[in-house]
Amino acid sequence: MLRREIEPRKNLAAIAEDVGFNFHTIDGEVYWQEDRFYQFTLEQIEKDLEEPTNDIHAMCLDLVDEVVKDEYLLNKLAIPSHLHDWVATSWKKRDPSLYGRVDFSYGGKGSAKFLEYNAQTPTSLYEAGFFQWNWLADQVDSNNLPSHSDQFNKLQEAFILRFHHIKKSLKGFKELYFACCKESSEDRATVDYMRDCAHQAGVQTNFVFIEDMGMGMHHGAPVFTDHDDYVIQNIFMLYPFEMMYGDNYGQFMHHTETQFFEPPWKAILSNKGILPLLWERHKGHPNLLPSYFSGEEKADLGGSFVSKPLFSREGENIDVVDEGKLIQRVDGMYGHIPTIKQKFHALPKFGSDYTLIGSWVIGDEALGLTIREDNSLVTKDTSRFIPHIILG
């Protein structure tokens, strides 16, 4: 794994805006950065990233099967008690899932270390699935990269096939809504990209902002409705379940006839409490780090660890402690949430930047990469996206 410099495309802003990538800069700061790229060998992709991703995903599904049968574990993950049956029933029915992203610390040597699973609302999908392939094609055409350069990126084809698969499970009129919050251009780009993939699979779609959704009744059961009060029978929401718990929807979620993507059982995998549960069941696994619920730490955690809330987004409320000393703290809105502690394993550093690798799972298979850089140890929503290639 190497980081290499390359000449960025001279008309980058026009290229990005022409394909709707209107957040290639965020608040005046570079988000998409293409004056560099990461180069992997095929063996690094297949052995060090793809195989561990599939292995961890399989372990996670086994864990879901265990957790839904155990009230103690559901409570341990802080899933509200009135939603336990809703989550468990979703798993028993095997409600279909679309995607997730497994985040690793990996620098090209040794075992990739699993940091967390963004299993319900991962972003950077558009950049990973479409725009970095666009970059690769342009750089090969410009002779800036060898013609046999490849990329671990089967995301777009896989999404189209996945929507083909779930089309038969859609309720009612088979229309699938996509939803996100109004203030995030990145979220809107993600759902628009997913919606386009769904169209290519022959799925009828619609869109609604989260803020414009309401509740209604259909056949005697509560349902979500759109801005025109039409019943939403199927919906993909780029909106975390834990936020729904606390808003006006929370009291209706477990009664609604609306089908959710991601399904309710993903509330388990999007919870950082899976990290200590996985360590307890697979202690010593080469891709796992010692992890414990706060207050239950054991000696192998040592004095270097990362404290994470069970629910948190964009790196908020993360504490990094090295040899007993707090070396980084990120404030946020999740300070009241119970925490876990995971053994500190620093992200690899290239130049002055720390690098995080996100391995995408579509359905149940690893199929692509997101790479993010930041000058701090904690990857945030504004951390830069860097493209990659496979060569050798």
Side-chain angles (χ1 to χ4, degrees):
M1 178 179 172
L2 304 169
R3 190 175 77 172
R4 297 192 179 279
E5 295 182 356
I6 193 169
E7 188 70 24
R9 292 169 289 181
K10 291 182 172 57
N11 55 342
L12 172 58
I15 292 170
E17 289 162 15
D18 188 54
V19 294
F21 190 8
N22 56 8
F23 58 99
H24 56 90
T25 61
I26 299 175
D27 297 330
E29 298 293 328
V30 172
Y31 168 63
W32 170 270
Q33 186 156 6
E34 61 172 60
D35 62 352
R36 62 193 70 177
F37 66 92
Y38 283 89
Q39 178 179 316
F40 297 85
T41 66
L42 182 60
E43 182 176 7
Q44 287 174 325
I45 293 293
E46 292 182 341
K47 300 296 184 183
D48 295 348
L49 295 171
E50 185 177 5
E51 288 184 7
T53 301
N54 291 332
D55 189 24
I56 286 169
H57 178 69
M59 290 191 294
C60 285
L61 295 184
D62 288 343
L63 182 62
V64 173
D65 193 56
E66 178 183 352
V67 170
V68 296
K69 301 169 185 174
D70 192 325
E71 291 286 323
Y72 172 79
L73 293 177
L74 288 164
N75 287 326
K76 194 83 169 173
L77 297 179
I79 295 173
S81 58
H82 68 283
L83 299 179
H84 288 185
D85 287 344
W86 184 61
V87 171
T89 300
S90 171
W91 174 251
K92 290 171 186 174
K93 294 191 302 182
R94 295 301 191 268
D95 286 344
S97 166
L98 286 169
Y99 76 143
R101 195 188 69 235
V102 177
D103 287 347
F104 288 111
S105 174
Y106 175 72
K109 297 179 181 178
S111 298
K113 298 300 183 183
F114 174 46
L115 300 180
E116 59 188 58
Y117 199 167
N118 291 278
Q120 189 211 344
T121 59
T123 52
S124 79
L125 179 64
Y126 169 82
E127 306 92 293
F130 175 76
F131 202 72
Q132 72 168 333
W133 186 261
N134 174 288
W135 166 85
L136 176 63
D138 282 351
Q139 294 290 17
V140 169
D141 288 345
S142 300
N143 296 316
N144 290 330
L145 289 173
S147 60
H148 58 286
S149 300
D150 201 356
Q151 200 171 78
F152 184 41
N153 190 355
K154 303 174 184 177
L155 295 174
Q156 184 158 305
E157 310 92 278
F159 255 106
I160 294 168
L161 289 172
R162 191 65 184 161
F163 280 116
H164 269 296
H165 174 75
I166 71 164
K167 183 165 56 174
K168 61 181 179 292
S169 70
L170 297 178
K171 293 184 174 183
F173 297 112
K174 306 293 185 181
E175 182 180 45
L176 178 59
Y177 276 79
F178 289 81
C180 67
C181 293
K182 291 181 177 179
E183 74 274 5
S184 175
S185 58
E186 181 183 4
D187 287 3
R188 182 62 191 266
T190 298
V191 298
D192 283 349
Y193 176 61
M194 296 177 74
R195 189 179 176 190
D196 181 66
C197 291
H199 271 298
Q200 293 184 58
V203 177
Q204 182 180 348
T205 72
N206 209 328
F207 176 82
V208 62
F209 283 115
I210 298 290
E211 294 89 340
D212 294 334
M213 290 172 59
M215 295 296 301
M217 298 296 291
H218 183 67
H219 298 312
V223 290
F224 287 98
T225 56
D226 69 8
H227 46 279
D228 293 319
D229 290 330
Y230 286 112
V231 171
I232 298 173
Q233 295 176 300
N234 311 279
I235 188 167
F236 170 85
M237 299 176 70
L238 199 64
Y239 189 63
F241 280 127
E242 65 268 16
M243 290 187 178
M244 293 179 69
Y245 299 162
D247 64 21
N248 292 332
Y249 305 131
Q251 59 184 312
F252 300 109
M253 289 165 60
H254 57 309
H255 293 306
T256 182
E257 288 290 307
T258 300
Q259 179 171 224
F260 293 96
F261 298 92
E262 289 296 275
W265 60 263
K266 277 294 191 77
I268 295 171
L269 293 190
S270 61
N271 188 306
K272 293 177 183 62
I274 68 169
L275 299 172
L277 296 181
L278 287 172
W279 180 250
E280 183 179 24
R281 287 150 183 78
H282 305 279
K283 187 173 183 179
H285 189 286
N287 299 114
L288 298 181
L289 293 166
S291 302
Y292 298 94
F293 290 96
S294 294
E296 301 178 6
E297 300 88 349
K298 294 185 179 178
D300 57 351
L301 186 68
S304 300
F305 57 85
V306 180
S307 175
K308 304 178 180 182
L310 296 184
F311 316 123
S312 69
R313 307 280 161 168
E314 302 171 5
E316 292 189 10
N317 297 102
I318 299 292
D319 283 354
V320 182
V321 176
D322 191 18
E323 296 182 354
K325 180 180 179 181
L326 179 67
I327 61 172
Q328 186 167 354
R329 167 168 286 169
V330 181
D331 294 327
M333 59 183 287
Y334 302 97
H336 63 292
I337 303 295
T339 59
I340 63 99
K341 291 187 174 73
Q342 182 183 55
K343 192 171 184 64
F344 176 45
H345 184 89
L347 295 174
K349 196 172 186 181
F350 292 81
S352 59
D353 302 298
Y354 295 96
T355 302
L356 176 79
I357 291 181
S359 180
W360 288 96
V361 175
I362 310 298
D364 295 308
E365 186 178 0
L367 291 166
L369 292 185
T370 278
I371 301 177
R372 305 288 292 274
E373 277 188 354
D374 204 291
N375 57 8
S376 82
L377 285 164
V378 178
T379 305
K380 299 175 286 294
D381 189 47
T382 54
S383 299
R384 300 176 299 278
F385 189 108
I386 313 296
H388 79 277
I389 71 169
I390 302 172
L391 194 63

